[in-house]
Amino acid sequence: MAYDDLRSFLRALEREGDLKRIKVEVDPYLEVGEIVDRVQKAKGPALLFENVKGSAMPLAMNVFGTERRLSKALGLKSPDDIAEKIGGLLKPELPQGFTGFRDAFGKLASMAHVPPRNVKSADAPVHEVVLTGDDVDLERLPALFTWPLDGGSFFNLGLTHTKDPDSGVRNLGLYRLQRHDKRTIGMHWQIHKDSRNHAAVAARRGEKLPVAIAFGCPPAVTYAATAPLPGDIDEYLFAGFVAGERVRMVDCKTVPLQVPADAEVVLEGWLEPGELLPEGPFGDHTGFYTPQEPFPALTIDCVTTRRRPLLQSIVVGRPPTEDGPLGKFTERFFLPLLKVIIPDIVDYDLPEAGGFHNCVIVSIDKKYPKHAQKVMHAIWGAHMMSLTKLIIVVDADCDVHDYQEVAWRALGNVDYSRDLSVVEGPVDHLDHASYQQFWGGKAGIDATRKLPEEGYTRDGGWPEMVASDPETAARVTRRWKEYGL
């Protein structure tokens, strides 16, 4: 089953021995980050820090730190469960492109278990405590100063809600949030993000933008906030689809937005046009510090919580981190969508070491000359896949998740004077390697077998790969115990 709220999931993990309570006092300045980073890299348990210095609020960390835990949180055996459902949803009408994907999800609106449902404030646990005016104090919340050169303390798992001022379409995004003072937080809205566009529209209209930030949400909602959905697909519809049940929503107290009724903490405020403060540096998921830049500064007018709330956060930095399972689930979930847009694709892999956007390994059933190059350019034109810096194309008989196999193909099957494509295009806002911000060089490597029509005219054609004789291999398998090995 999927879990209705964070605390019920934590109880389930504790029953299984997969949650560790830390009862001694810990310092959110560097100490918590060091503990969590070590536990993450060891594939250790979820952590609940019960005594965080300077805060009465417990802090849940490493909650989605393994694929097993994330699967359990979403009520799945594996991410392939949802991939199969998405694939089945897309197949009957053969929709084309993102419009078809949106329409396919739109059909689910008539299914009782998918669209979010509204509840009254009295039935929303997150409205058990309401703080306004002088009672608002963000310093009571355990923000993390994770790495030595960070520019301050950050909330790293706040789910940010905004609406397009023109269309009214809402967006749920996940952005780091720097705590500037008791009532102000920095909104790290990168150039490609929907919330940044909403703020720009509001500023153009001379209006304030309502913002709500929820912490400790139901696991399916938290996952949906990380998924790179097209802008016109409601993340709460997707969360309901993943969890197999409707998400309970409640109207905010002071802004015209809705948030999960079963969240732990919600911050509400209005963003004034042009209100900017220096944000960062920050040790980000790239493993490098991102520089200080001016970003919108949001004033918090209202905080709502449960009676005994807890906060959820993550530590990012040099991989592997908790980003790993989240990124791998997105990779699997969206394979059917990518196949709709680019039917040539057999499978793909987004290496965590590449931050899930710097590199794509893709396999194809090659049918004609320059088929690999066609797929490269299709990927660079596919929504947020446009940020990919390196694409490696291999044949269908290559396991894209076996990096040893992929390296063997990429290192052995390539004539770099012919099989390397170099282009320029958009890159991630956080990319530090590009010589100017937001765009830079990209490369595609054709590691497929080469055809005579592509100019490979050597005698005998493309060579066969070395492989065992099937009959001998079967005989050796049968006799293996006889060898005493």
Side-chain angles (χ1 to χ4, degrees), residues 162-180:
T162 59
K163 278 187 179 180
D164 185 317
D166 287 336
S167 68
V169 174
R170 69 179 162 200
N171 180 68
L172 176 64
L174 181 60
Y175 318 106
R176 74 186 194 221
L177 308 163
Q178 183 171 355
R179 185 177 64 192
H180 291 306

Side-chain angles (χ1 to χ4, degrees), residues 3 11-12 16 24 68 100 129 131 204 208 227 233 241 297 319 346-347 392 402 425-426:
Y3 289 84
R11 288 194 295 268
E16 297 178 354
V24 298
R68 190 200 76 83
V129 177
L131 304 173
R204 188 170 65 246
K208 297 185 294 183
I233 294 178
F241 177 67
V346 174
D347 199 359
I392 303 171
D402 183 342

Side-chain angles (χ1 to χ4, degrees), residues 394-414:
V394 295
D395 288 305
D397 61 353
C398 177
D399 180 357
V400 295
H401 311 296
D402 183 342
Y403 297 156
Q404 175 89 8
E405 171 83 1
V406 171
W408 178 60
R409 307 278 184 127
L411 297 175
N413 280 5
V414 179

Side-chain angles (χ1 to χ4, degrees), residues 13 69 101 105 146 242 284 317 339 427 446 466:
L13 292 180
R69 277 205 295 278
F101 186 62
F105 266 93
T146 304
V242 170
D284 219 313
K339 284 186 173 182
V427 298
D446 179 1
V466 173

Side-chain angles (χ1 to χ4, degrees), residues 126-188:
V126 77
H127 281 173
E128 289 172 346
V129 177
V130 179
L131 304 173
T132 58
D134 292 339
D135 291 329
V136 173
D137 185 356
L138 299 180
E139 293 180 358
R140 296 177 182 173
L141 277 62
L144 297 180
F145 195 115
T146 304
W147 303 110
L149 299 183
D150 281 353
S153 297
F154 291 80
F155 302 110
N156 295 334
L157 207 60
L159 277 54
T160 301
H161 298 70
T162 59
K163 278 187 179 180
D164 185 317
D166 287 336
S167 68
V169 174
R170 69 179 162 200
N171 180 68
L172 176 64
L174 181 60
Y175 318 106
R176 74 186 194 221
L177 308 163
Q178 183 171 355
R179 185 177 64 192
H180 291 306
D181 57 41
K182 291 184 177 182
R183 292 191 58 189
T184 312
I185 55 177
M187 312 300 296
H188 190 259

